Amino acid sequence: LIGDSVSQGWNIYEGSTMKEHAFICAYKGIGPSALVNKQSVDPGQGSGRAAEVGYDVIVNSNPKRMYILLGANGLVRDGEAAEQSFLAYYGQLVDMFRADVGEDVKIYIESVTPVRPGVTQPGLYRERIQRVNGELAKMALEKGCYFINIYEALADENGDLREDLAGGDGVHLKPAAYDIMANYL
């Protein structure tokens, strides 16, 4: 499992069974550009690892499948340039993974998770996330990957993150959300 601070919940919350089934490479504050540029990143509490070059750790783990969940950080800045940069780096990341892990490794691109209304980061809002998820679905198809719309499993009838699953900031998730995502995956 590859991701940002949203994915760090797999390591943090007691009772998360995903740690038993997957190698979790989740890094606070990253977007696809941090992995593409091979920056040193912190896997955070619960991982048992120190700062590392995330891209290299992921590739050297010899994965059979890769589940990528990025977007909470890459989209915080509003504007089309930030969105296009996020998507370009995401595409480059998928191409790099494909070249370095081989064609036999299945790559799953997960949708960006929904947020609660009123989130203070200007780029994280329902319509933008839905638009980006549409682009990620197209990218997955074009690059021979699978798209997993985790958004639909976490969203309420309005398309916002369900209130009972939202952490205090409206972006991060409560433990119950990880059970839903695990079942969905």
Side-chain angles (χ1 to χ4, degrees):
L1 297 170
I2 301 158
D4 52 29
S5 59
V6 171
S7 294
Q8 283 185 316
W10 295 115
N11 278 326
I12 295 170
Y13 294 122
E14 292 297 320
S16 171
T17 59
M18 197 57 80
K19 287 191 285 190
E20 301 167 20
H21 304 289
F23 181 47
I24 299 167
C25 295
Y27 307 101
K28 183 177 182 180
I30 71 156
S33 63
L35 295 173
V36 166
N37 293 318
K38 299 186 179 184
Q39 296 173 351
S40 179
V41 289
D42 183 0
Q45 72 182 66
S47 71
R49 302 189 320 267
E52 58 196 24
V53 176
Y55 184 85
D56 293 341
V57 170
I58 294 162
V59 169
N60 292 332
S61 72
N62 298 313
K64 294 181 177 121
R65 289 173 298 285
M66 304 172 87
Y67 293 82
I68 307 170
L69 174 56
L70 294 167
N73 299 305
L75 297 173
V76 295
R77 288 181 302 126
D78 207 359
E80 185 161 339
E83 190 172 314
Q84 293 307 313
S85 176
F86 168 78
L87 291 166
Y89 270 112
Y90 209 121
Q92 187 178 355
L93 177 64
V94 171
D95 292 342
M96 288 171 61
F97 280 148
R98 180 63 69 215
D100 290 339
V101 300
E103 294 294 323
D104 294 338
V105 174
K106 290 182 170 77
I107 298 177
Y108 298 84
I109 296 174
E110 295 179 53
S111 63
V112 179
T113 54
V115 297
R116 290 295 302 153
V119 165
T120 58
Q121 290 89 352
L124 294 177
Y125 53 92
R126 177 184 342 118
E127 296 80 11
R128 184 183 204 199
I129 293 171
Q130 290 173 337
R131 181 175 61 248
V132 167
N133 284 340
E135 293 300 315
L136 290 175
K138 283 192 244 178
M139 178 187 302
L141 184 63
E142 291 167 2
K143 295 185 178 296
C145 301
Y146 300 93
F147 180 74
I148 301 175
N149 190 3
I150 202 82
Y151 185 101
E152 69 184 6
L154 302 174
D156 63 18
E157 64 280 354
N158 297 319
D160 298 313
L161 178 59
R162 286 178 26 195
E163 190 171 4
D164 63 316
L165 302 177
D169 64 359
V171 175
H172 293 92
L173 308 172
K174 289 183 178 176
Y178 294 92
D179 292 335
I180 292 170
M181 289 195 305
N183 289 329
Y184 194 85
L185 293 175

